Amino acid sequence: MTKILIIDDDVELAGLFKEYLEQDGFAVEVSHQGESGLRLALSGDYQLVILDIMLPDIKGTEVLNRIRMESRIPVLMFTAKGDDVDRIIGLESGADDYVPKPCTPRELAARIRAILRRTQPAKGGDNGPIIAGALKVWSEKRKASWFDHDLELTSTEFNLLETLALHFGRIVSKNELSEKALGRPLARFDRSIDVHMSSIRQKLGCQSDGRSYIQTVRGQGYQLIKE
């Protein structure tokens, strides 16, 4: 049974989500404090963390930063409805996706399943890496290397880079990237893909002429370019 950790100080709402998710087949534990939630998140006992950006003792983004120092566990963040700043800060801190509050338990469960589907290693034997220039991606192991150095990627970053590698040298639309990496169509004004791509670019560095290895093609999408 998949174990989910909810870190949220809203006792009533967290209890509602816990009840619904348990009925949907998940095992759920709730922490109402950032520090105690952080310890649980790093225990290795959970497959996904749902983290509120506003907590009473420590900011949710700080909890996320500290999780990312030690773990790549998928993190779904609660953000304030309509607050783009919260969303961007959460994604830049390493969240895999966000869901605005208030949301329905059904929507939350759908987001969880979409993330989990894309974070589970593929079954079967290792067929070797996808090679796209200096990038190597092992889909089964969910591992990637860049110029033979391992990349530390969140689950969403891995999915995005894998998709670009599969289309090496070709443009991939933002909607296709959203479907592959987030498991949902790209919503209007949603900047999630842009923020994740910015993080990936920082991890890949620049070419000798200062250009990024991942190019933005305005109005079309992104492209992992061939040198």
Side-chain angles (χ1 to χ4, degrees), residues 204-225:
L204 298 185
C206 296
Q207 301 181 77
S208 57
D209 60 3
R211 290 187 304 153
S212 171
Y213 288 95
I214 297 176
Q215 294 292 306
T216 302
V217 183
R218 189 171 183 180
Q220 297 184 57
Y222 288 94
Q223 177 184 20
L224 180 62
I225 63 172

Side-chain angles (χ1 to χ4, degrees), residues 70-86:
E70 300 183 38
S71 173
R72 289 190 287 173
I73 185 173
V75 176
L76 177 63
M77 289 206 76
F78 280 139
T79 63
K81 190 173 182 64
D83 193 332
D84 288 338
V85 174
D86 277 356

Side-chain angles (χ1 to χ4, degrees), residues 17-216:
F17 287 142
K18 181 179 189 294
E19 181 179 355
Y20 182 91
L21 292 173
E22 287 177 338
Q23 292 175 355
D24 207 24
F26 296 101
V28 183
E29 186 164 349
V30 177
S31 173
H32 300 302
Q33 299 286 327
E35 289 288 355
S36 58
L38 175 63
R39 290 192 294 272
L40 289 170
L42 295 176
S43 68
D45 292 336
Y46 303 92
Q47 282 73 57
L48 183 140
V49 174
I50 301 169
L51 175 63
D52 191 14
I53 203 163
M54 297 297 293
L55 294 168
D57 58 332
I58 180 175
K59 290 183 179 179
T61 49
E62 176 62 22
V63 174
L64 181 55
N65 284 329
R66 288 164 64 179
I67 288 174
R68 282 290 170 254
M69 291 174 66
E70 300 183 38
S71 173
R72 289 190 287 173
I73 185 173
V75 176
L76 177 63
M77 289 206 76
F78 280 139
T79 63
K81 190 173 182 64
D83 193 332
D84 288 338
V85 174
D86 277 356
R87 296 175 187 181
I88 292 170
I89 290 173
L91 293 171
E92 287 179 339
S93 299
D96 293 274
D97 202 359
Y98 68 88
V99 62
K101 293 169 78 174
C103 69
T104 65
R106 184 177 181 180
E107 180 184 1
L108 180 62
R111 291 289 183 94
I112 290 170
R113 293 191 186 281
I115 292 175
L116 291 174
R117 278 197 303 270
R118 284 156 180 79
T119 57
Q120 298 303 313
K123 295 181 180 179
D126 189 348
N127 297 318
I130 302 164
I131 299 177
L135 177 66
K136 294 180 182 177
V137 178
W138 290 264
S139 299
E140 293 84 357
K141 299 177 181 177
R142 295 191 62 80
K143 172 186 172 184
S145 70
W146 181 244
F147 287 101
D148 295 322
H149 293 286
D150 289 345
L151 287 169
E152 291 293 327
L153 303 168
T154 67
S155 62
T156 300
E157 290 169 358
F158 177 88
N159 295 334
L160 287 170
L161 202 52
E162 178 187 38
T163 302
L164 290 176
L166 287 167
H167 296 80
F168 187 37
R170 289 176 286 161
I171 300 168
V172 187
S173 71
K174 290 171 82 171
N175 191 65
E176 181 176 354
L177 288 166
S178 184
E179 291 276 10
K180 298 289 186 183
L182 301 176
R184 57 180 171 84
L186 185 70
R188 192 179 183 187
F189 305 125
D190 189 343
R191 294 186 56 195
S192 301
I193 298 300
D194 302 317
V195 178
H196 288 303
M197 282 296 182
S198 176
S199 176
I200 295 171
R201 281 172 165 154
Q202 291 180 30
K203 293 176 181 182
L204 298 185
C206 296
Q207 301 181 77
S208 57
D209 60 3
R211 290 187 304 153
S212 171
Y213 288 95
I214 297 176
Q215 294 292 306
T216 302

